[in-house]
Amino acid sequence: MTSSITRRMTVLVLMISLVIALLAAAYQIYGGYRAGLRAVQDNLHMIEYSHVPALTANVWLLDQSLIEKQLEGIAQLPDITYAGVTGDLPFQVKAKGRAQAQSEAVRFGAPTLSHTYSLVYTDPLHPEQHQPIGQLRVEVSLEGLYARLKETAVTIVVAEVVRTTILAFALIMGMRLLITRHLTQIATFSSRLSIDNLDTPLMLSQRHLHRHDEIDALVESINGMRLSLMSEIDKRHEVESRSQQLTIEKEAAVLANETKSEFLANMSHEIRTPMNAIIGMSELALQSGLNDRQSNYVQKVHTSAKLLLGIINDILDFSKIEAGKLDIESVEFSLNELLGGLADLIGLKAEEKDLELLIVQSPDVPDRLMGDPLRLHQVLVNLASNAVKFTSHGEVIVGVDEVERSAGSVRLRFWVKDTGVGMSEAQQARLFTPFTQAEMSTARRFGGTGLGLAISQRLVRMMGSSIEVDSHEGKGSTFYFNLRLDMAAASTAPHPAALPFPTGGRLLVVDDNAAARQVLVNMAARMGFQVDEAHDGEQALRMVNDARDAGRPFQLVLLDWKMPGLDGVSCARRLALAGHDRPQVLMVTAFSRDEVLRRMRQEQVQVQAVLTKPVTPSSLYDACQRALLPTADKVMAETREVKLALPDHRARLSGVRVLLAEDNEINQELAVELLQRVGITVAVAKDGYSALQMLGEQSFDMVLMDCQMPGMDGYTATRRIRENPAWRELPVIAMTANAMLGDREKALAAGMNDHVAKPIDVEDLYRALSRWAGARGTDKAGVPEDTVAQDMMGLPGLDMALGRARTLNNDALYMRMLRMFAQRERDFIRDWRLAYERGDQVTVERMLHTMHSVAATLGALGVSQACQQLRADLQAHASREVIERGLGALSREINQVLAGIDTLIAA
C-alpha cells in the first residue's frame, strides 16, 4: 500500500510539474517571440529614418558607389538578408544581402519579412514639390529569432525537470515520514484486530502530542469503533443470555399450557360423563309422570345442568383458542341450511320471551359457500342468543347482505339487531374482554360467564374479520361483521327466492309486527308477487273482499297466527267462507307449530302450509309453490290438456311434411314421436348441410331447425334457405335450448319464422306448427300411441314425472330415451374436456347446448342447471379454477343420473 501511494503521488507531482514547465516555457517563448518581432520592426523604422533620406539623395545624385556602400551598411544590420534599390537609374545597382542564408531559412521554415521604402526627392527651393525617384526593398529573416527562442525553451525545460525531480524526491521522503509509515502501522493493527484483543488501543509511535491532524482523527475513529464493537458484543452476549432464558421460560410455558389443556380435556371428560347422566336421566324423569312439585324440581335440575354444560363448552373453546389448537376449516356448506338451523335453535328461546325472531337475507346472496359452517354457526348463535337474552320485548333480526362479489368469492355482512337494553360507550369498550360483561349487575340479572362474545370475536378474527357493535342505551344493539367466503361450484346459480315466481299473482301479508311484516313483504316481492300488507285480521278481510270485488283477487295470504283482535286461525276460518276466488292461506307463527295445528283442528280450519318464524326465503318459496301448484302437477295438468287437444291438432297437422334438423339422437327420437303422434310425416337431417341437401331432393311444408349443430348451425342454414328463391316462403321454426332473452330475436333475424324452446312444451310446439301449416280437413292415420305401462319409481337426479310428461306419458319412448342417454353420454365429460383443452369453443358450446336440452327433456334438472351454469361461466370468461368446479358439478350430476338409469335397466 505504501509504495502504491508513493508511486501515485510521485507520478502526480511529475505530471503537474511537467505541465507547469510546459506552460512556463510556452509563455516565455511567446514573450521572446513578441520581443523579437518588436526588435525587427524597430530596425525597419530605423532604416526608414536613418538610411532612406541619405539613400534618396545619393540616388538623386546618381552616385553609384555611395548607393552600394549604403546598401552594404543596411545589409549588415541584424537579421537583414536583402537590400536593393530599384528605379529609373542609368546604371545597374547590385543588391546586397545573404541570399544563401535566406534560402536556408526559407527551407527550414523560418519566415522572411519584406518591406519596401519609397525614395521621394524634395526640392529644397520648392519644398512642396515631391518627385519619386525609386524604391528601397529590404528583407528580414526570423531565423535568428527562432534560434534564440529554441535556446530559451531548452533552458526552461531543463530547469523545470531538475526542479521537479528535486520536488518529487522531497515529497516522497515527506510522505514516508508523515503519512505512509503511520498508515502501515494502522493497517498492521487493523489486520491483527480480533475479539480477543479489542481492549488494546491503537497507539502510533513518533507522533507529536500537541499536533492533531487527519492521521490522529483516523486513529481516534478506529479506537472509537473498537470501543463500539466491545459494547455491541457485550449487548449481544446479554441478548443471547436473555434469549436462552426466554427459551427456557417458553418451553416451561408450553409445557404448562399443554398440562393445562390436558387437564381441561380430562376435566371436561370427567365432568361431561356425570353431566350426561344428569341431563339424560332428568329428561327421562320429566317424561315419567311426575307430579307438579316433583316435575318443578327435576326441570330446574335439567335446566341448570344444560346451563353448566354450556359454560363448560365455552371454557373449553376459550382454552383451545388460547392454546392455538382451534383451526378454521374450509368446507362446502349451505347458507340457507345454516340459517335454518339457527332459526330452529334460537326460535324456541325467542318464543319463550314472546319475541319476534326474523331472518333477513338479500336476494343475491349465494347459498353454496366454502368456509367453516360450525364456527360461523357458533358465532351467529352466540350473538342471537345474547340478543334474545337482553331483549324483553320487540324483535331480534338476523341478517345477511352481500357487500361485494369478485371472481369465485363473495364478501358477506352478517348482522344481528335487537330492541333490547342497549349499552353505553364504556360498556362497549370492555364488551369483548374474557370473563367480563357490561356490568356486574348484568351478570347477576341475566347470568352467563362473559366468554361468549370473547370467543366469538376471536373466531371471527381467525376467519379474517372483526365483530363491530353499534348500540345506544335503551334503544337496542346491532352486532355485525364482514366475511369473505369462496363460492362453491354451484353457488353462482340464483337463489330460488331471487327468481320471479313462476305463477305470479297477488299476495297479502298480514302481521301485527311491522318489522316481521316488512320482511315477508320484501321476500314475496322478490319472488315476483304483487304484494299488499295488513296489520290485523279485520283489515285483511276487508282487503280480500275489496280485491275480489275489483276483479283482482289475492292468490295467497301469509297470515300471522297470534295477532290482537282477530287472530290468524279465526281470520283463516272466515276467509274459507268467502266463497269463490278465495285465496290460499299460509299460516305463519312464531310459536309452537303443534299448538297452532291443534287450534286449527279445533276450529276445523285448513291451510296450505304452516310456516314457523323466522321464515326464510327458501321455505317461503317452497310453501308458495306447494300452495299454488307443484311443478310436476302443473306439467301433468298441461299434459292432460294436450291429450284433450290432440284430436284438434291431428286434424290440423295430419299429412304435413316436416324436415327436422337436429343433431342429437335423443332429441330426434322425441321430436319424431311427438310429430308422428299428430300425423306429421317427418324426415330427419343431422346438420345444416344435410338439411339443405334434403330440401333440394324432397318437398317439405316446413322445417324444424335446431340452432346449434356441428358443421353448419341452424342460423347459417336458415340464411342459405332464404337465399334460394324457391325456399324464401318456406316456414322455418327454431327448436332449440336457447331460450334466453334475445334468442328469439336472433332466430327471427336469421330468417326463421317462429321459435319453440327446449325442453319442448308440447302444446307450444303443436300451436307453432298449426300457425304455419294452416287448417287441414283430412285426418290421416297417425302412429298409434304407445300404451306400455310400467311402474317406474323415482330415480336419483331425475324428475321422472316431468320427463314422462314431456313424452306425453309414453313410457316406452321415455325408456328408449333413457337408454340412449346412458349409451351416448357416458364419455361426455371426457369429450367436452378434450374440446375445451383444444380451444374448440364452437364444439364446447354445442355440447353444453345439446346436453342441457336433452337433460331438461328427460327431467334431469340437475344436469340441465349445471350445463347452464358452466355455459354462463364460459361466456363470462371465468378462470380455469371456476370452469373446473363447474365441470366437476356437471360430472357429479351426470354420474348420478347414469347410475339411476343403470339401476332401472338392470331391474
Side-chain angles (χ1 to χ4, degrees):
M1 181 178 68
T2 302
S3 61
S4 176
I5 292 178
T6 302
R7 185 184 304 113
R8 281 180 285 174
M9 290 296 295
T10 302
V11 171
L12 180 61
V13 169
L14 290 175
M15 291 181 64
I16 293 174
S17 299
L18 180 60
V19 171
I20 292 174
L22 291 176
L23 291 176
Y27 179 75
Q28 292 188 22
I29 291 172
Y30 178 72
Y33 176 73
R34 298 282 295 178
L37 288 179
R38 283 194 299 271
V40 171
Q41 294 294 335
D42 292 341
N43 287 336
L44 294 176
H45 285 295
M46 183 191 68
I47 292 173
E48 181 179 3
Y49 290 109
S50 62
H51 293 277
V52 170
L55 183 62
T56 301
N58 293 329
V59 172
W60 175 259
L61 297 175
L62 300 176
D63 190 346
Q64 182 176 6
S65 62
L66 289 176
I67 293 173
E68 291 180 354
K69 287 182 180 180
Q70 199 165 359
L71 290 176
E72 184 69 29
I74 292 174
Q76 294 299 322
L77 292 176
D79 299 324
I80 300 298
T81 60
Y82 176 81
V85 175
T86 59
D88 188 13
L89 297 175
F91 51 82
Q92 183 71 31
V93 179
K94 183 179 179 181
K96 304 297 181 179
R98 302 184 296 275
Q100 181 66 28
Q102 177 183 358
S103 62
E104 290 293 334
V106 173
R107 185 186 309 160
F108 291 102
T112 299
L113 301 180
S114 176
H115 193 78
T116 302
Y117 302 91
S118 298
L119 302 179
V120 180
Y121 175 74
T122 303
D123 189 353
L125 298 178
H126 302 283
E128 70 280 359
Q129 296 181 359
H130 304 288
Q131 180 178 358
I133 59 175
Q135 291 179 336
L136 170 63
R137 181 172 176 269
V138 179
E139 292 182 359
V140 181
S141 173
L142 299 182
E143 179 183 4
L145 176 61
Y146 279 19
R148 292 190 297 273
L149 292 178
K150 179 178 179 183
E151 292 176 359
T152 301
V154 170
T155 301
I156 293 173
V157 170
V158 171
E160 289 296 330
V161 168
V162 172
R163 184 177 64 83
T164 301
T165 303
I166 296 172
L167 179 62
F169 178 77
L171 182 62
I172 292 172
M173 297 304 296
M175 287 183 61
R176 287 182 177 178
L177 179 63
L178 299 176
I179 300 176
T180 55
R181 64 171 181 162
H182 299 308
L183 291 179
T184 302
Q185 294 179 31
I186 293 173
T188 303
F189 176 83
S190 300
S191 63
R192 296 175 181 177
L193 190 64
S194 64
I195 296 178
D196 297 330
N197 58 8
L198 280 178
D199 55 344
T200 303
L202 172 61
M203 301 292 293
L204 297 181
S205 60
Q206 299 180 2
R207 293 290 295 173
H208 296 285
L209 299 178
H210 301 292
R211 297 179 181 178
H212 191 276
D213 55 17
E214 288 81 357
I215 297 295
D216 296 313
L218 177 60
V219 171
E220 292 177 359
S221 298
I222 292 176
N223 284 328
M225 180 185 68
R226 179 182 56 80
L227 295 176
S228 298
L229 287 175
M230 292 176 61
S231 177
E232 290 296 327
I233 290 173
D234 292 339
K235 291 180 181 180
R236 180 69 61 85
H237 288 160
E238 183 180 353
V239 170
E240 290 178 354
S241 176
R242 180 60 180 164
S243 297
Q244 292 176 357
Q245 183 180 356
L246 290 176
T247 301
I248 295 173
E249 293 176 357
K250 179 182 177 182
E251 292 176 353
V254 170
L255 181 61
N257 192 47
E258 292 177 353
T259 304
K260 181 187 72 173
S261 300
E262 184 177 355
F263 170 77
L264 287 174
N266 293 333
M267 288 304 298
S268 173
H269 175 73
E270 295 299 328
I271 295 175
R272 286 171 186 271
T273 301
M275 288 300 301
N276 181 56
I278 295 171
I279 294 173
M281 293 301 178
S282 61
E283 186 171 354
L284 291 176
L286 288 172
Q287 301 173 4
S288 62
L290 301 175
N291 58 40
D292 292 342
R293 185 176 182 181
Q294 294 170 334
S295 178
N296 182 39
Y297 292 157
V298 176
Q299 181 63 52
K300 290 180 179 179
V301 171
H302 185 73
T303 303
S304 299
K306 293 183 70 175
L307 178 61
L308 179 59
L309 183 61
I311 294 173
I312 294 172
N313 289 336
D314 283 347
I315 294 175
L316 188 60
D317 281 344
F318 186 77
S319 175
K320 287 181 179 179
I321 294 175
E322 286 290 320
K325 293 186 176 181
L326 192 147
D327 297 325
I328 300 298
E329 62 179 356
S330 180
V331 298
E332 183 175 346
F333 70 96
S334 168
L335 182 60
N336 291 332
E337 293 177 3
L338 186 145
L339 294 177
L342 173 70
D344 294 340
L345 187 60
I346 305 300
L348 295 176
K349 298 180 180 180
E351 179 183 344
E352 293 172 357
K353 299 187 68 173
D354 199 15
L355 299 174
E356 287 276 0
L357 177 63
L358 306 174
I359 303 291
V360 179
Q361 185 177 352
S362 297
D364 297 331
V365 173
D367 177 42
R368 306 302 301 182
L369 299 168
M370 300 296 294
D372 193 331
L374 177 62
R375 297 306 172 187
L376 179 58
H377 182 265
Q378 180 179 351
V379 172
L380 292 177
V381 166
N382 186 275
L383 295 178
S385 297
N386 281 346
V388 172
K389 180 167 65 174
F390 292 100
T391 303
S392 57
H393 63 276
E395 65 267 351
V396 173
I397 306 176
V398 180
V400 185
D401 298 326
E402 180 176 326
V403 178
E404 62 175 344
R405 184 181 297 214
S406 58
S409 66
V410 63
R411 189 175 185 86
L412 300 180
R413 168 165 292 189
F414 296 88
W415 52 275
V416 178
K417 182 178 181 181
D418 63 62
T419 57
V421 297
M423 291 174 290
S424 66
E425 292 185 0
Q427 291 170 333
Q428 295 177 43
R430 58 176 181 269
L431 188 61
F432 298 105
T433 304
F435 304 103
T436 302
Q437 288 193 327
E439 57 184 7
M440 293 307 297
S441 61
T442 302
R444 289 193 298 270
R445 178 182 173 190
F446 294 102
T449 62
L451 276 177
L453 284 177
I455 293 173
S456 298
Q457 179 70 289
R458 298 198 181 191
L459 289 175
V460 171
R461 285 178 177 171
M462 291 175 69
M463 289 185 279
S465 184
S466 178
I467 300 177
E468 305 292 338
V469 60
D470 182 14
S471 181
H472 302 279
E473 281 190 285
K475 295 183 179 180
S477 305
T478 301
F479 290 81
Y480 59 92
F481 59 92
N482 296 339
L483 284 184
R484 179 168 292 282
L485 301 171
D486 291 335
M487 293 186 288
S491 62
T492 54
H495 187 276
L499 298 174
F501 197 76
T503 303
R506 303 189 64 202
L507 182 145
L508 178 64
V509 177
V510 187
D511 199 315
D512 62 302
N513 184 284
R517 189 169 64 246
Q518 190 61 44
V519 169
L520 293 175
V521 167
N522 292 338
M523 286 185 188
R526 288 196 294 266
M527 294 178 187
F529 285 106
Q530 299 178 16
V531 186
D532 290 301
E533 55 184 295
H535 58 77
D536 58 26
E538 294 292 346
Q539 184 186 11
L541 291 174
R542 289 194 300 271
M543 293 181 68
V544 169
N545 291 332
D546 292 344
R548 183 176 63 247
D549 295 341
R552 300 178 62 248
F554 290 103
Q555 280 74 45
L556 284 176
V557 175
L558 297 182
L559 192 58
D560 188 34
W561 173 31
K562 284 195 174 181
M563 294 183 294
L566 189 66
D567 65 14
V569 175
S570 301
C571 183
R573 181 169 53 81
R574 291 177 60 177
L575 286 173
L577 302 176
H580 70 282
D581 289 338
R582 61 178 180 269
Q584 303 286 350
V585 177
L586 303 179
M587 189 67 68
V588 182
T589 178
F591 305 97
S592 173
R593 179 185 178 92
D594 295 336
E595 186 177 349
V596 70
L597 291 174
R598 182 168 58 253
R599 172 73 188 284
M600 287 192 298
R601 284 195 297 270
Q602 292 174 355
E603 298 285 340
Q604 296 183 346
V605 173
Q606 293 185 350
V607 297
Q608 291 297 317
V610 176
L611 295 174
T612 303
K613 291 184 179 180
V615 178
T616 63
S618 179
S619 62
L620 178 60
Y621 183 85
D622 294 340
C624 292
Q625 280 283 64
R626 290 194 302 271
L628 293 178
L629 193 61
T631 303
D633 294 343
K634 180 180 179 182
V635 174
M636 295 302 294
E638 291 177 351
T639 301
R640 287 192 294 270
E641 293 177 2
V642 171
K643 283 190 172 182
L644 293 175
L646 273 179
D648 294 335
H649 291 309
R650 187 179 292 111
R652 294 189 181 94
L653 299 174
S654 180
V656 173
R657 290 161 300 183
V658 173
L659 173 61
L660 172 65
E662 170 66 63
D663 64 302
N664 184 271
E665 294 181 2
I666 299 177
N667 288 338
Q668 289 176 3
E669 182 162 354
L670 174 62
V672 168
E673 183 73 22
L674 294 177
L675 296 176
Q676 289 179 346
R677 180 157 294 190
V678 292
I680 293 176
T681 302
V682 189
V684 179
K686 63 180 180 180
D687 54 32
Y689 292 112
S690 301
L692 294 175
Q693 182 179 358
M694 294 179 68
L695 282 174
E697 298 172 352
Q698 305 177 39
S699 176
F700 296 96
D701 297 315
M702 68 181 67
V703 179
L704 281 177
M705 183 74 73
D706 185 21
C707 291
Q708 292 198 13
M709 296 180 291
M712 181 184 294
D713 61 22
Y715 299 116
T716 305
T718 302
R719 294 188 188 97
R720 297 282 183 88
I721 290 174
R722 295 310 179 209
E723 292 172 359
N724 191 327
W727 302 332
R728 193 162 294 166
E729 302 301 325
L730 179 66
V732 179
I733 301 174
M735 187 176 68
T736 177
N738 288 341
M740 301 299 292
L741 183 63
D743 290 326
R744 178 181 178 86
E745 289 72 15
K746 183 177 180 181
L748 297 178
M752 300 181 186
N753 302 92
D754 211 335
H755 180 274
V756 177
K758 295 178 182 177
I760 298 171
D761 184 298
V762 180
E763 183 63 22
D764 287 347
L765 174 63
Y766 288 160
R767 280 198 297 265
L769 293 171
S770 298
R771 279 196 299 271
W772 298 100
R776 292 173 176 270
T778 58
D779 185 4
K780 297 182 181 179
V783 178
E785 297 183 12
D786 196 334
T787 59
V788 178
Q790 296 185 13
D791 184 18
M792 296 191 295
M793 304 296 292
L795 296 179
L798 280 173
D799 185 345
M800 299 188 70
L802 181 62
R804 294 174 66 238
R806 298 292 186 194
T807 60
L808 298 178
N809 287 331
N810 187 334
D811 294 338
L813 172 61
Y814 187 54
M815 283 296 298
R816 289 200 305 271
M817 293 173 65
L818 290 178
R819 289 191 182 94
M820 292 177 64
F821 182 90
Q823 293 170 359
R824 289 175 52 84
E825 307 301 343
R826 290 190 185 276
D827 297 328
F828 175 87
I829 298 297
R830 183 199 65 188
D831 297 339
W832 190 91
R833 188 186 296 276
L834 290 175
Y836 178 76
E837 295 292 343
R838 292 195 308 270
D840 189 353
Q841 193 66 24
V842 175
T843 302
V844 165
E845 287 279 345
R846 178 178 54 78
M847 291 180 68
L848 286 178
H849 166 87
T850 303
M851 176 58 76
H852 161 63
S853 169
V854 172
T857 300
L858 295 178
L861 301 183
V863 176
S864 177
Q865 292 172 1
C867 287
Q868 286 181 306
Q869 182 58 50
L870 185 55
R871 191 175 181 186
D873 291 339
L874 287 170
Q875 293 174 350
H877 304 290
S879 65
R880 179 64 176 265
E881 182 180 358
V882 174
I883 298 298
E884 288 294 335
R885 286 204 301 266
L887 186 61
L890 177 58
S891 177
R892 289 191 294 273
E893 294 291 344
I894 292 177
N895 290 337
Q896 182 183 31
V897 171
L898 291 175
I901 295 175
D902 292 341
T903 302
L904 179 64
I905 294 175

